[in-house]
Amino acid sequence: MIAFRARSRASRAGRWALCAALLGASGLTWADLPIEELKGGTRLPPATPHRLYVMDAAFNHLVDSRVNIYDGDSLKFLGLVPTSFNGHMTVSADGRDIYVMTTYYERLNRGKRTDVIEAWDAETLTPKYEVPIPQKRAQALNYRNYLRQSTDGSLLFVQNATPATSVTIVDLKSRQFADEVTAAAGCWSIIPLPSRPRSFATICGDGALLTIDLDAAGKPSAQQRSKPMFDLEKDPIFTHTENLGDTFYFVSYNGNVYSADFSGPEVSFGAPWPLLDKSGKDRGWRPGGYNLLAVNQATKRLYVGMHPNGVEGSHKTPAAEIWVYDLVTHKRLARVPGKNALSMSVSQDDKPRLFTIDGGNVNIFDAQPAAPVFKGTIQAAGETALQVEPQPAGGAR
């Protein structure tokens, strides 16, 4: 190895000596050479419904988190967006922007702190603008409901934790900080509401849901607190939720499904129903993971990561199986190998794919059959990734 390095250094020295000799013979000096310019950049190919955004926390070096972008059909790597210290991301509804909430420290991992929202061009993967926000944003593992866009696309909602909870509102039109919603104190997770253009709900510590309406300037205009949806002591729920229209579904640690309908002036709750067969043959199985649910709007199917021998505290155990349910009949349609999934998502196109991630690898399933069919794996899609998002339905071209 030492001899190899010595030869390498000698070879480089010889090349530089030859360049200097050629310059001298021409009467030029190093200063006479033109300055090299890096020109242009590349554009990603048109987005398909199966383009994937993998949020990689890079847990062993959090200052270097990033969004890795892949083609979910060819399994090819397309590019990345750096997201600095423990970044979070969401893709705009039109698919044109990647929004990032992140933190910069003056000395990389210490010193003056700056929190910002960044907008990146999803075609060129170049920065467009940034908005400074209060130094309160949640520095946490990547759950989908910590950074969300309003239904009308005009606002961005940012989960705060100091550890006191609140929600920062960013106006995407003026590109400015709009307000901080302190009424969300004691509540967690951001749930944009489809039928209400600038509203979100959040889960409160007593089991109730708090709904907050915002005006055109991003200021709170009204709020409403529901009765408790679940018993916090007896049947706590995962904060991750997925929806079918105006109805949002929540899964409890014990394997019960709760639903909240936001279509009316007041939220209404459906009767909880069990994931486990009433016969008792599924005894011991429980839900587990981080972003552990997915819902396909067209097929009305719910996908849940499940593990056997569940106990109190096993709620983040990877999925041994993925169970598939019909949300209309509440019947289980299939059980398929989970491949240790910690998080998942499903595309909303006419050839839906189920995407799961085990922290590093993305597994891809054909979601058209009731029992998803395994199609392939993107190896090492992230170092410690817990969020995988397909291209938004409105952003595929």
Side-chain angles (χ1 to χ4, degrees), residues 235 238 251-257 273-276 285-287 306:
D235 201 25
F238 292 84
V251 171
S252 75
Y253 290 9
N254 296 321
N256 296 309
V257 179
W273 50 276
L275 294 171
L276 276 60
W285 283 84
R286 289 194 181 190
M306 302 289 292

Side-chain angles (χ1 to χ4, degrees), residues 269-311:
F269 301 129
W273 50 276
L275 294 171
L276 276 60
D277 191 278
K278 293 181 180 179
S279 68
K281 65 180 181 180
D282 299 329
R283 191 182 307 277
W285 283 84
R286 289 194 181 190
Y290 291 79
N291 299 290
L292 77 163
L293 308 176
V295 169
N296 183 271
Q297 302 287 316
T299 62
K300 297 180 173 58
R301 291 174 188 160
L302 170 70
Y303 304 84
V304 188
M306 302 289 292
H307 63 277
N309 307 314
V311 295

Side-chain angles (χ1 to χ4, degrees), residues 168-230:
T168 285
I169 311 297
V170 173
D171 187 324
L172 293 174
K173 293 183 178 179
S174 66
R175 301 181 178 180
Q176 292 181 340
F177 165 75
D179 205 352
E180 180 186 355
V181 181
T182 57
C187 306
W188 190 252
S189 192
I190 299 166
I191 307 167
L193 304 178
S195 294
R196 300 161 85 162
R198 291 178 299 279
S199 302
F200 68 91
T202 184
I203 308 166
C204 299
D206 62 353
L209 300 181
L210 175 66
T211 302
I212 296 175
D213 299 316
L214 303 166
D215 62 21
K219 306 288 184 181
S221 59
Q223 66 181 59
Q224 182 184 76
R225 195 182 188 97
S226 76
K227 63 181 181 181
M229 181 180 68
F230 63 98

Side-chain angles (χ1 to χ4, degrees), residues 360-376:
N361 306 313
V362 172
N363 291 302
I364 301 169
F365 300 78
D366 181 353
Q368 284 186 301
V373 178
F374 176 66
K375 301 294 290 184

